[in-house]
């Protein structure tokens, strides 16, 4: 949840924190130049240095690199929760069930998860706020969707990508 946008957080494992931070700083500079964004500011969240990149009057992106992780999020709560070890996906029953149903192995090269049961109504509400009416048939067709899980795994020289759509 979140307002005006839901929290979305990307966490990547990195081997070189300094190089990852430099890359993010460079990307933020390019975005600022090409999109005319405001100057980024730096703050501290639970002891981690975090950069805020204002995207609009109401929306910012935040990034930081700490504990071997690169974190990009739409909410400081995403970083705060990660630093404090609470509110993680592994605590979420729907997440665990979706990964199990999708057959995600213990080790992946990366994965993505969307709780469609929560995300779809939010997107439909946002469309309503924008003045776009969503036809009832679309709402009805989206209602049974529960989750989307995508992951990659590698064996020898073969990289496989799999996706699983959970439907009620």
């Amino acid at each position: 949840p979140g307002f005006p946008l839901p929290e979305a957080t990307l966490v990547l494992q990195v081997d070189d924190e300094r190089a990852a931070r430099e890359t993010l700083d460079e990307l933020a500079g390019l975005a600022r130049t090409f999109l005319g964004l405001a100057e980024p500011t730096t703050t501290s969240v639970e002891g981690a240095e975090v950069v805020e990149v204002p995207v609009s009057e109401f929306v910012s992106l935040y990034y930081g690199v700490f504990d071997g992780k690169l974190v990009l999020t739409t909410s400081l709560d995403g970083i705060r929760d990660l630093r404090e070890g609470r509110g993680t996906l592994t605590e979420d029953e729907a997440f665990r069930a979706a990964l199990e149903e999708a057959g995600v192995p213990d080790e992946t090269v990366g994965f993505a998860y969307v709780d469609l049961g929560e995300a779809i109504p939010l997107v439909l509400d946002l469309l309503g706020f924008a003045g776009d009416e969503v036809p009832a048939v679309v709402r009805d067709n989206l209602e049974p969707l529960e989750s989307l899980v995508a992951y990659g795994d590698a064996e020898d020289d073969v990289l496989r990508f799999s996706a699983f759509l959970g439907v009620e």
Side-chain angles (χ1 to χ4, degrees), residues 47-113:
E49 186 177 283
V50 175
V51 176
E52 177 182 3
V53 180
V55 176
S56 73
E57 181 180 351
F58 302 106
V59 178
S60 290
L61 292 176
Y62 304 91
Y63 67 84
V65 181
F66 50 85
D67 301 334
K69 297 174 183 74
L70 176 156
V71 182
L72 176 66
T73 184
T74 58
S75 170
L76 288 176
D77 286 340
I79 293 172
R80 191 173 293 111
D81 290 346
L82 186 62
R83 292 288 289 172
E84 293 177 354
R86 63 183 166 87
T88 63
L89 278 176
T90 56
E91 298 171 359
D92 186 277
E93 187 177 319
F95 168 74
R96 290 192 315 266
L99 263 57
E100 185 176 326
E101 289 172 11
V104 176
D106 291 338
E107 215 171 288
T108 69
V109 294
F111 72 92
Y113 163 75

Side-chain angles (χ1 to χ4, degrees), residues 28 31-32 35-41 52-56:
R32 182 173 176 263
L35 301 175
L37 303 179
E39 184 75 31
T41 58
E52 177 182 3
V53 180
V55 176
S56 73

